[in-house]
Amino acid sequence: MAATIKDIAKATGLGLATISSYLNGGNVREKNRIRIEQAIEELHFEVNEVARGLKTNRTRSIGILIPELNNIFCAEIITEAEEVLRRQGYAAMICDCRTDAHREKEAIDFLLHRRVDGLLMIPSGETGASVQRFLRAKKPVVLIDRKIRNLDCDCVLVDNKGAVKDAVNRLITAGHREIGIIAGPEEMYTAQERLYGYEQALAKARIPIRDSLMVRGDYTIRGGMKAMRELIQKNTDLSAVLVSNYEMTLGSVIELHELGVQIPEELSLIGFDNVEFARASTPRLSIVTQPTKEIGKKAAELMLLRLQEDTVSGKKQKLRLKTGFVEGNSVRDIKREESLERTKE
Amino acid sequence: MAATIKDIAKATGLGLATISSYLNGGNVREKNRIRIEQAIEELHFEVNEVARGLKTNRTRSIGILIPELNNIFCAEIITEAEEVLRRQGYAAMICDCRTDAHREKEAIDFLLHRRVDGLLMIPSGETGASVQRFLRAKKPVVLIDRKIRNLDCDCVLVDNKGAVKDAVNRLITAGHREIGIIAGPEEMYTAQERLYGYEQALAKARIPIRDSLMVRGDYTIRGGMKAMRELIQKNTDLSAVLVSNYEMTLGSVIELHELGVQIPEELSLIGFDNVEFARASTPRLSIVTQPTKEIGKKAAELMLLRLQEDTVSGKKQKLRLKTGFVEGNSVRDIKREESLERTKE
DNA sequence: ATGAAAGCGCTAACAA
DNA sequence: TTGTTAGCGCTTTCAT
């Protein structure tokens, strides 16, 4: 059996409180400090965080709930968040709900029973009610990437609308008019924002918005493939497409590949996320990038802040991070070609 | 404050032991069962797993320690393992050590303090000594993908040697002789096995093994890029390359892309892992695939088995899973071309 | 089947 | 600064 502070007390002849005080950074007489450290060494003592948690009602662990661990966007965020948390002594209990609302709810229960001190989540279902229970228990919740209706808590979002607006503007500037979008699921927050950015960009350029140019996928590879096929079938004059997440970008590329459609000669493409994939593609893909590391870091920091303040009340922070853009060769510059043409004449 | 079993006892007029018995599936008189369930409902009671853990000395949580969460191979394995474990009521405490031996050691301490019931890990450093402490505490350890020297415990491995041997054989069968390999770090178990498979395949085909054809990368994208460049510079007659993990495959494709080398016309390529990426590449990549889901599942099951048996002694299981191969268009079939040529004459 | 009581390892009053 | 003591919420004998 592992040694306990009782053993240390016995070995040093000191009282329990002294040992506990030492362990928690309290003041202990130099002489005793040495004796305690020696005893800890000899007996291989290690604090039992479980007992400590029972007593203090704080487990020093954070529940992390995500739709899909096996998804580069989530994985990058979580990697960063976990690191920041662990540096401060917090353990990460990670639950993957496979983008399933029921499992998401189950996971929340699970984490609640486990008495995690806070919840960091990328919501996938409409789990407002479940999450409320955390707040009622005075445990902070930080939402990542998406909001939840009627739930006021800290969140770290991305400027989705601006990102897509900017990307579509690039297509317009390059002379494209028949611009399609592979949007995400209707109920999804990021999908709504991204689609809105698309509409705004077109509206501003006075390009009519056509239903046939807006197709929804489910943020999966397969969904991207299907959506791209649909877009091409529906629009014979399709000139460029914006794909609104990574998995669907991958799916789109696969589909175009199988259909034998040349990028950017026959179709221009702007994708989302995963710089490495974009770089390895032929041609290199132009993509919108999200600051995943920063998202994870900020979310963890927000959580630590709440934990420190020991209050879930007060003004909630809503961070909105800027996206980036990595230029590739997947967008045909029609304007430039035309002007070159003119020069020739 | 959350309700405790004391509150339930008070509300129902029953004793603590009866409530506890109910919670743990013991026999309770029908009438009392109903009253207990009602009280639980009314008071929003939820078992405190922390208290339970202190008493039983079992936290129902498993430490998962991996080199890189943000790595598709790891992520796929962990996704599966976490699911299997959680179905059985076990929480996963995931630590990402960033392929750093020091951090790996720290994480082991961390998990030990947290009193996880077992450790599931993909080793990255030489942490035999640290891991031993788990075994000494009678806590099961299951190793994934790599072994640790002088450490006898359950593990789930992959037939690395066979996988590479088979892949290289395909290149040989297609008529290639100048076959390079981008191997992994010297000290890494999987890298050793894969390189060995390469050597065996060549030896069997009586193709001399040349040092210049064997380059080591560090299993990263950047490493893959560098290694591919080196391989091409060193070998003007290079005909085909086997790249021994996914990140380096990605790096290789990027590098070839930037060098303007055509696959498979100028160079044939067989990569590793990530079917989707292989499919999205131009041309489609031929790759060795690893059964990540099965690895994760088996590892978790092995862990649950040990936990059930409540013994870490006894014969350790060493599973060795079979890899797969997905055919693409990245390998030029020289033999076939030659025979077609001959037919023409 | 149920209840009383002890105790898991720790922290936190409080007293000395 | 240090020691004594109570108790966090639960399980687990041992009676009944």
Side-chain angles (χ1 to χ4, degrees), chain A residues 53-99:
Chain A
L54 176 59
K55 179 65 194 180
T56 59
N57 206 22
R58 298 175 65 242
T59 55
R60 300 198 133 261
S61 56
I62 303 297
I64 297 188
L65 180 48
I66 53 175
E68 208 74 57
L69 226 191
N70 177 15
N71 164 303
I72 188 167
F73 176 72
C74 294
E76 283 180 0
I77 291 175
I78 299 316
T79 297
E80 200 61 26
E82 191 262 341
E83 169 147 6
V84 172
L85 291 174
R86 185 141 50 87
R87 278 234 191 85
Q88 301 297 321
Y90 283 88
M93 282 209 183
I94 302 183
C95 295
D96 175 341
C97 71
R98 306 291 183 99
T99 322

Side-chain angles (χ1 to χ4, degrees), chain A residues 65 95 101-114 116 119 121 127-134 148, chain B residues 46 86:
Chain A
L65 180 48
C95 295
H102 178 67
R103 288 196 205 194
E104 186 176 56
K105 210 168 153 312
E106 270 181 1
I108 291 178
D109 280 346
F110 183 87
L111 292 169
L112 220 39
H113 289 183
R114 288 236 123 82
V116 293
L119 177 64
M121 84 184 276
T127 33
S130 277
V131 178
Q132 283 287 7
R133 294 164 51 211
F134 260 88
I148 292 180
Chain B
E46 279 161 5
R86 186 142 48 90

Side-chain angles (χ1 to χ4, degrees), chain A residues 21-35:
Chain A
S21 168
Y22 165 82
L23 291 174
N24 292 289
N27 279 330
V28 175
R29 226 192 297 275
E30 179 66 8
K31 200 179 64 184
N32 290 333
R33 209 206 67 213
I34 294 170
R35 275 159 68 195

